[in-house]
Amino acid sequence: MPHPWIPNSAPEIKERMMKELGIESIDELFSDIPAKYKLNRLLNVGLGRPLSEYEVKKVFKEKLGKIAKLDNAPFLGGEYCVHYVPEVVKLVLRRDEFYTAYTPYQPEINQGILQALFEYQSLMAELYGVEVVNASMYDGSTALAEAIRMALRITRRRKIVISRGIGPLKLDVIRTWLRGLDVEISEVSLSQEDGTTSYESLEDLVDSRTAAVVISNPTFYGSIERRVDDIAGLVHSRGALFIVFSDPISLGVLKAPGDYGADIVVGEGQPLGLGVYYGGFTLGILGTRREMRFVRQLPGRLVGLAPTIGGGDRGFALVLQTREQHIRRERATSNITTNSALTAIAAAAYVMYMGGEGIRRLSRSILARTVYFLGKVRAELKGKALPLFARASYFKQVPVAFPGHDYNEVFKKLLEHGIVGGTPLGRYDSSFNNVGLFCFTEMHSRSLIDDLVRVLKEVLG
Amino acid sequence: MWRQSRWDEGIVPLKKGIRGLSPLIPYEHEFEDVDVDGAIPRELKRDELRIPSYSELDVVRHYVRLSQESYGVNTGPVPLGSCTMKYNPKVADIVVHEEIEQLHPDLPEEYVQGLLEILWELEQWLKEITGMDRCTFQVPAGAAGELAGVLMIKQYHALRGEKRDEIIVPDSAHGTNPASAAMAGFRVVTVPTANDGNVDMDALRSAVSEKTAGIMLTNPNTLGLFEERIEEIARLIHDVGGLLYYDGANLNGILGIARPGDMGFDIVHLNLHKTFASPHGGGGPGGAALCVKKELEELLPRPLLVKKGNHYYWDYTCSRCIGSIRVYYGNIPAIIRTYLYILSLGPQGLREVGEISVLNTNYLVKRLVSSGYYDLPYGTRPRKHEAVLSAARIRRDTGVTAEDIAKALIDRGLHAPTIYFPLIVEEALMIELTETETLYEIEQYAEALIEIARKAYENPEELKKMPLNTTVRRLDLARANHPKRLVLSTKYLMKEVMEKG
Ligand SMILES: Cc1ncc(COP(=O)(O)O)c(C=O)c1O
């Protein structure tokens, strides 16, 4: 049946083409498929017939009708929080030349995409305090798994020491990605006191077999690490690498990981104006120092400056491709091919739109909201709720424990009042059944936070 | 004559900005009185962020200009073999929708039933399309599907108390196949391709053993040829207890016509950004599905979507599963686009996709081969989604390479095919038009390739100078890659500027 997305399905054209090929029926082009494997019937998919654009939209609308419309920004946290998506970023996502392009294998005809990716690499390098960031990974979790694999290759060691501050979701991903290798994973707990990675445990665990120490700063639980310089010193004195995962939006107020000794920096790009999309459509940030023994082991695509032949002009091109699967095959640094180029370009557009000043202001304002909420919890929910780590410094996320309550119940009661509370952590770690992880961003006004605390007070009785 | 835009845009963040500007932050003023001085440990305070500010119009122009220096399917044909660069229907753009944009994965399931219903229905359709029993969308792209797949193969054998450490991969395979197998700790055993473009069966027979964990195949293969002896291959592998992995990157050419599940494959990945018209975004994000036969369901990464009555929810229980490949559930916009694509085309349209993409391929092959310039290695069987032609004769006669031909194409505003892949074809031009190009565009493309070949014999030097009409002329990749000249971010430049004073 002819369809405008399949122009040569128009009968006249189809016949003309078949005639040119000297065939009577399209089936002749499939004569090499054994008869027993031919379907010989139509697939049972969709609504059983092609749909017009109007009808497709109707179906989609009907599904949207079964998705709750939230009046207020949720306080859900974990790997993602809601952040505002500026219209400028959407413009970038919708530019036809960007979103319908492939990886710029022919650099001369895709200078725009290459420059945009080079700028992304440069802006992320600024934020994270390193010189090299690749042209994107799938998301933060897989970028971290690849960072660890990279450290294993560089050091040729087989042990990884990971802070629990990485959080249960990324830990699960890391375990999966290391399954094929014979690697020992040691986990280090966070201090109950201040939510930082226990330095004493690190001293015990990091040894001459350790390839890397992995921390998150801020942690998955929002707590800010303190002894980062000591950790870096310890890690390096034992010949291991220091891997730091950071929320890019925290880096407006927090020191860049590269500036306190991180050898490999990792992040999830979603806070940079990318939307949440139920956890999809994100961006993995992965960078390292300007040293060839690191850069050669970096997975993923890299854009570099390239002169024209004979000089005289500058351009951009994919470089160091001999690290990649299409050339190195089973000896490649990774199998990654499709990455997150469009969201990387969008994130760069976001940073350009905000500017350094805007990022710092936003970061400070998120910090202020975090501090404001902590103050309210301590003052108004005394005896009913308390921050999980009493003496931690927090950024953006605060885990709140509700002693004597099942947080799932508290969460449900908040919903009844039209408030979507923090993520029930029991879902990911049963030892946290009474903990909710609350996230604060530019989408949360003072009155919204006040309402949250007021309703919490009410439902806790 | 076509000429691409050239704007000479300054490079951000070196491009000059404007001090003292920044967008308004929502509700910022409401928190100005909050004291944040002691909120961050002193040793962790950041003192500067060297990124300039720009006006909003500056930002818009910067990206509009950069986009004009770029080229995608909505600009002209992008017949990159193996990439299935088809039209990305505009109707699917409605997914970039406020209501989906802010959906958080930890929302209660009751709040997102409509979205879960889309995922569920699409899973049913993909099961039908592939002939498999269960799918997940968690894998972010094809390569990640491969990694999950080979980890499942590893787990499958481990659970049976067997230690098998070899994965068989044909020499025509995409680089991701051996790379994925190696990431999972397998040894890669490469089998050659026979003269008819099928896997060399004698070589395969001697490669198969009790150490074989599985085989990774794409069918049609990267030559665009259907693997005719797939039944025998499946039997060989299954007989020794191995599993068959299907790389779905090439499904377009048999869509609605034959199914990997019926051919004996145990695990299948689909690239939603290829076969199902989700955009490639200049490299990504894409989207993928990983589908398996019933016996392997419990090994799939978690969580899995479950339907009970009319209610959908996530099942996290994992006793034998491989864990999770990424956090949460996959690239939701790409998944929704796939849903809308299948809904739009229906069963008839999907079959038409398979048929016309193959018709287009063979039409182009006929044009090019009959020109007398290009050769079609591995026999004359009809090609499927793509064809791999060789410019080896042109190179021998004139010195003009596949790369020169690619540059001459982009000089005319036509994107080049994939070149130098698969590795088993000399001076390879791997062309995949897809079903969405018109006959007119196909004729133009063929004509361009023939003219370029003619020029190669008349004036090869002229081709070596191309492209002239693109944003920049031919780039010197050897210099760009030289370790001493490598520039990977503006930080390299700043250092140089500072060193020079
Ligand atoms: C044959 C083949 N297999 C696997 C892949 C990898 O898929 P993806 O890019 O989605 O990771 C590709 C695409 O690049 C391919 O062409």
Side-chain angles (χ1 to χ4, degrees):
Chain A
M1 195 183 131
H3 191 284
W5 297 346
I6 314 171
N8 300 340
S9 62
E12 221 171 276
I13 294 194
K14 191 164 159 179
E15 250 160 61
R16 207 165 106 203
M17 293 174 76
M18 282 167 43
K19 203 159 154 202
E20 175 77 23
L21 291 179
I23 56 172
E24 309 260 295
S25 122
I26 293 275
D27 285 344
E28 290 175 48
L29 298 176
F30 297 95
S31 56
D32 50 351
I33 300 185
K36 64 185 291 192
Y37 296 139
K38 288 220 180 116
L39 195 56
N40 292 324
R41 64 167 173 86
L42 284 177
L43 291 163
N44 178 18
V45 296
L47 297 191
R49 65 175 174 89
L51 255 56
S52 69
E53 191 170 309
Y54 178 72
E55 293 168 284
V56 168
K57 282 190 180 170
K58 288 279 273 191
V59 175
F60 188 58
K61 268 226 173 87
E62 186 231 308
K63 303 290 181 205
L64 280 181
K66 295 186 216 165
I67 298 175
K69 312 260 175 307
L70 303 181
D71 294 327
N72 292 311
F75 293 100
L76 295 165
E79 300 296 341
Y80 301 125
C81 302
V82 291
H83 281 281
Y84 180 67
V85 182
E87 291 302 321
V88 170
V89 171
K90 289 184 194 166
L91 171 139
V92 170
L93 291 175
R94 287 180 187 151
R95 284 301 295 188
D96 293 67
E97 302 90 332
F98 286 154
Y99 87 84
T100 70
Y102 194 70
T103 302
Y105 284 146
Q106 293 295 335
E108 296 85 358
I109 202 170
N110 262 318
Q111 284 298 295
I113 287 178
L114 286 159
Q115 179 170 343
L117 288 172
F118 182 81
E119 292 177 348
Y120 160 81
Q121 293 176 181
S122 302
L123 291 166
M124 294 303 125
E126 278 300 333
L127 266 177
Y128 284 85
V130 291
E131 281 106 351
V132 184
V133 170
N134 78 7
S136 76
M137 304 298 283
Y138 302 131
D139 77 332
S141 68
T142 58
L144 186 56
E146 290 267 30
I148 292 170
R149 297 183 66 108
M150 176 177 163
L152 293 167
R153 289 193 299 274
I154 293 171
T155 60
R156 295 164 188 254
R157 296 180 179 185
R158 307 218 137 254
K159 178 177 159 186
I160 296 290
V161 178
I162 305 185
S163 162
R164 288 238 167 89
I166 289 297
L169 286 132
K170 287 197 293 292
L171 259 173
D172 196 27
V173 174
I174 290 167
R175 279 195 212 99
T176 305
W177 281 64
L178 295 183
R179 264 172 171 267
L181 310 173
D182 179 24
V183 173
E184 179 188 337
I185 305 177
S186 301
E187 293 176 24
V188 185
S189 300
L190 295 180
S191 135
Q192 281 301 313
E193 238 342 57
D194 64 2
T196 64
T197 305
S198 159
Y199 184 77
E200 290 66 36
S201 309
L202 285 178
E203 270 190 313
D204 286 346
L205 283 169
V206 183
D207 55 23
S208 61
R209 291 182 308 127
T210 306
V213 170
V214 188
I215 67 163
S216 179
N217 191 24
T219 69
F220 174 82
Y221 306 97
S223 54
I224 300 174
E225 292 280 2
R226 287 167 205 260
R227 299 180 64 180
V228 288
D229 294 319
D230 294 339
I231 299 177
L234 170 73
V235 173
H236 291 145
S237 74
R238 310 223 164 137
L241 301 183
F242 190 22
I243 301 178
V244 180
F245 184 95
S246 285
D247 178 341
I249 219 65
S250 74
L251 299 177
V253 290
L254 288 186
K255 203 162 165 182
D259 290 341
Y260 54 79
D263 302 291
I264 306 176
V265 298
V266 191
E268 163 57 58
Q270 180 268 338
L272 300 175
L274 296 184
V276 192
Y277 294 104
Y278 203 59
F281 206 58
T282 62
L283 160 67
I285 303 163
L286 178 59
T288 190
R289 313 149 163 279
R290 183 182 178 175
E291 270 180 51
M292 283 318 278
R293 73 191 175 105
F294 286 75
V295 176
R296 282 199 203 290
Q297 293 301 336
L298 187 68
R301 311 221 189 260
L302 275 169
V303 178
L305 228 48
T308 48
I309 287 175
D313 216 348
R314 69 132 170 88
F316 303 87
L318 296 175
V319 293
L320 299 182
Q321 293 196 60
T322 48
R323 299 164 300 114
E324 296 183 49
Q325 51 74 23
H326 58 288
I327 296 180
R328 197 52 67 85
R329 296 176 80 82
E330 65 264 31
R331 292 192 316 282
T333 49
S334 168
N335 64 353
I336 191 167
T337 307
T338 291
N339 54 14
S340 301
L342 187 64
T343 38
I345 293 173
Y350 178 82
V351 174
M352 186 187 178
Y353 165 81
M354 295 297 290
E357 278 178 63
I359 296 280
R360 275 176 80 76
R361 275 177 58 188
L362 173 59
S363 203
R364 220 178 297 124
S365 186
I366 288 173
L367 178 65
R369 290 166 222 228
T370 317
V371 170
Y372 179 74
F373 173 73
L374 276 165
K376 301 250 331 170
V377 170
R378 291 194 172 115
E380 296 178 31
L381 300 178
K382 218 176 182 153
K384 296 179 183 139
L386 68 168
L388 186 60
F389 311 110
R391 294 186 34 235
S393 305
Y394 290 100
F395 179 84
K396 193 162 124 175
Q397 309 215 41
V398 181
V400 181
F402 299 89
H405 286 272
D406 174 354
Y407 175 68
N408 273 310
E409 294 305 315
V410 177
F411 184 77
K412 273 189 201 140
K413 287 196 182 129
L414 286 173
L415 290 178
E416 286 165 20
H417 287 81
I419 293 175
V420 183
T423 292
L425 279 188
R427 181 172 202 176
Y428 302 116
D429 183 344
S430 56
S431 63
F432 285 142
N433 275 332
N434 67 356
V435 183
L437 187 56
F438 291 77
C439 191
F440 304 91
T441 72
E442 70 280 14
M443 311 260 291
H444 301 100
S445 67
R446 188 162 178 155
S447 61
L448 199 56
I449 300 176
D450 290 347
D451 279 352
L452 168 67
V453 176
R454 183 177 49 74
V455 175
L456 273 174
K457 201 166 166 181
E458 231 174 272
V459 303
L460 294 169
Chain B
M1 191 186 72
W2 178 77
R3 246 181 209 287
Q4 194 172 24
S5 299
R6 170 175 180 140
W7 284 100
D8 286 319
E9 273 293 288
I11 303 172
V12 174
L14 298 180
K15 181 183 162 80
K16 203 166 159 38
I18 304 166
R19 218 181 270 279
L21 283 185
S22 68
L24 296 178
I25 313 274
Y27 316 114
E28 188 183 25
H29 63 286
E30 297 179 357
F31 299 92
E32 257 153 20
D33 59 340
V34 178
D35 179 11
V36 295
D37 273 354
I40 291 179
R42 201 172 335 111
E43 61 275 27
L44 272 160
K45 273 198 183 138
R46 179 164 203 149
D47 12 86
E48 61 164 358
L49 184 52
R50 284 187 303 181
I51 298 171
S53 298
Y54 304 91
S55 79
E56 188 166 325
L57 179 55
D58 273 342
V59 183
V60 169
R61 279 194 188 138
H62 184 66
Y63 284 98
V64 168
R65 288 172 176 184
L66 291 186
S67 73
Q68 289 176 345
E69 293 179 353
S70 306
Y71 185 102
V73 171
N74 286 7
T75 322
V78 184
L80 284 164
S82 215
C83 302
T84 317
M85 296 297 290
K86 58 173 74 179
Y87 170 58
N88 310 128
K90 282 286 172 189
V91 64
D93 283 350
I94 57 179
V95 304
V96 185
H97 201 288
E98 307 270 332
E99 279 148 292
I100 299 286
E101 176 192 290
Q102 292 300 347
L103 281 187
H104 193 286
D106 285 327
L107 278 170
E109 284 138 352
E110 312 85 82
Y111 279 47
V112 291
Q113 286 295 303
L115 176 62
L116 300 186
E117 192 167 277
I118 289 179
L119 299 188
W120 181 264
E121 287 175 5
L122 180 58
E123 182 185 344
Q124 308 318 307
W125 300 347
L126 295 184
K127 278 157 55 178
E128 162 78 356
I129 288 169
T130 54
M132 307 301 279
D133 300 318
R134 195 76 162 91
C135 304
T136 174
F137 298 108
Q138 192 186 57
V139 290
E146 292 174 23
L147 176 63
V150 288
L151 287 174
M152 286 170 66
I153 292 176
K154 199 171 189 102
Q155 175 82 331
Y156 169 85
H157 294 300
L159 288 171
R160 296 155 65 98
E162 288 187 17
K163 214 173 140 33
R164 292 166 177 252
D165 61 355
E166 291 181 358
I167 291 273
I168 298 174
V169 176
D171 61 357
S172 63
H174 194 257
T176 49
N177 295 180
S180 302
M183 282 174 84
F186 284 110
R187 217 168 65 76
V188 176
V189 178
T190 307
V191 289
T193 302
N195 288 336
D196 59 2
N198 290 308
V199 167
D200 181 326
M201 290 306 286
D202 289 334
L204 181 64
R205 265 181 228 106
S206 54
V208 169
S209 74
E210 71 291 343
K211 283 191 280 182
T212 305
I215 189 169
M216 300 179 85
L217 284 180
T218 172
N219 194 12
N221 63 23
T222 61
L223 295 165
L225 287 166
F226 192 86
E227 198 64 65
E228 290 171 294
R229 291 188 275 279
I230 183 60
E231 183 177 11
E232 196 182 340
I233 295 174
R235 193 175 335 109
L236 263 174
I237 301 294
H238 282 153
D239 279 354
V240 294
L243 296 176
L244 278 83
Y245 184 91
Y246 182 83
D247 173 348
N250 298 342
L251 185 73
N252 213 48
I254 56 167
L255 192 62
I257 292 155
R259 311 189 302 174
D262 298 335
M263 301 172 206
F265 285 95
D266 303 289
I267 310 176
V268 170
H269 88 241
L270 299 175
N271 308 63
L272 306 184
H273 47 282
K274 298 183 187 208
T275 318
F276 298 98
S278 181
H280 284 75
L290 187 68
C291 304
V292 297
K293 291 276 173 65
K294 188 124 205 75
E295 311 80 73
L296 299 176
E297 178 179 337
E298 54 180 1
L299 309 187
L300 276 172
R302 288 305 189 262
L304 275 182
L305 188 62
V306 181
K307 181 180 186 184
K308 207 173 192 176
N310 275 327
H311 185 78
Y312 303 92
Y313 65 95
W314 293 104
D315 182 4
Y316 288 85
T317 51
C318 165
S319 53
R320 325 182 91 188
C321 87
I322 57 161
S324 43
I325 283 290
R326 55 156 296 178
V327 296
Y328 307 118
Y329 322 112
N331 181 355
I332 298 296
I335 296 164
I336 297 175
R337 282 172 182 275
T338 299
Y339 179 84
L340 300 176
Y341 179 71
I342 295 176
L343 202 58
S344 300
L345 286 179
Q348 300 86 344
L350 285 191
R351 189 180 166 97
E352 206 76 49
V353 167
E355 291 185 352
I356 302 295
S357 66
V358 172
L359 180 65
N360 288 353
T361 307
N362 288 290
Y363 187 87
L364 182 79
V365 167
K366 173 102 196 262
R367 272 291 140 95
L368 293 179
V369 170
S370 63
S371 77
Y373 291 114
Y374 297 96
D375 295 319
L376 183 69
Y378 295 101
T380 55
R381 263 202 286 154
R383 266 46 183 179
K384 296 292 177 284
H385 62 294
E386 70 195 354
V388 183
L389 291 130
S390 172
R393 200 150 39 84
I394 298 178
R395 174 170 192 172
R396 263 194 307 278
D397 294 349
T398 72
V400 167
T401 63
E403 182 173 22
D404 295 329
I405 293 170
K407 300 304 177 194
L409 279 166
I410 61 173
D411 195 49
R412 295 162 179 249
L414 295 169
H415 201 283
T418 298
I419 50 175
Y420 301 113
F421 176 73
L423 308 175
I424 54 174
V425 173
E426 245 185 293
E427 298 298 319
L429 299 170
M430 185 195 214
I431 314 181
E432 180 175 13
L433 294 159
T434 83
E435 71 285 359
T436 64
E437 293 302 335
T438 61
L439 177 57
Y440 174 78
E441 290 285 358
I442 299 172
E443 298 279 17
Q444 294 285 304
Y445 205 82
E447 206 41 57
L449 274 166
I450 293 165
E451 258 181 59
I452 291 165
R454 202 175 294 133
K455 194 156 273 172
Y457 285 90
E458 286 163 5
N459 190 354
E461 283 317 303
E462 197 179 323
L463 290 178
K464 295 274 177 197
K465 290 195 198 103
M466 290 183 175
L468 303 174
N469 293 316
T470 45
T471 304
V472 293
R473 293 190 178 193
R474 202 183 294 200
L475 294 167
D476 188 342
L477 296 187
R479 271 170 62 125
N481 277 289
H482 191 285
K484 289 232 167 73
R485 295 182 188 271
L486 207 57
V487 177
L488 298 175
S489 70
T490 50
K491 285 215 163 177
Y492 284 58
L493 300 173
M494 286 187 221
K495 224 175 200 164
E496 267 150 47
V497 169
M498 264 152 43
E499 273 161 17
K500 279 184 201 147

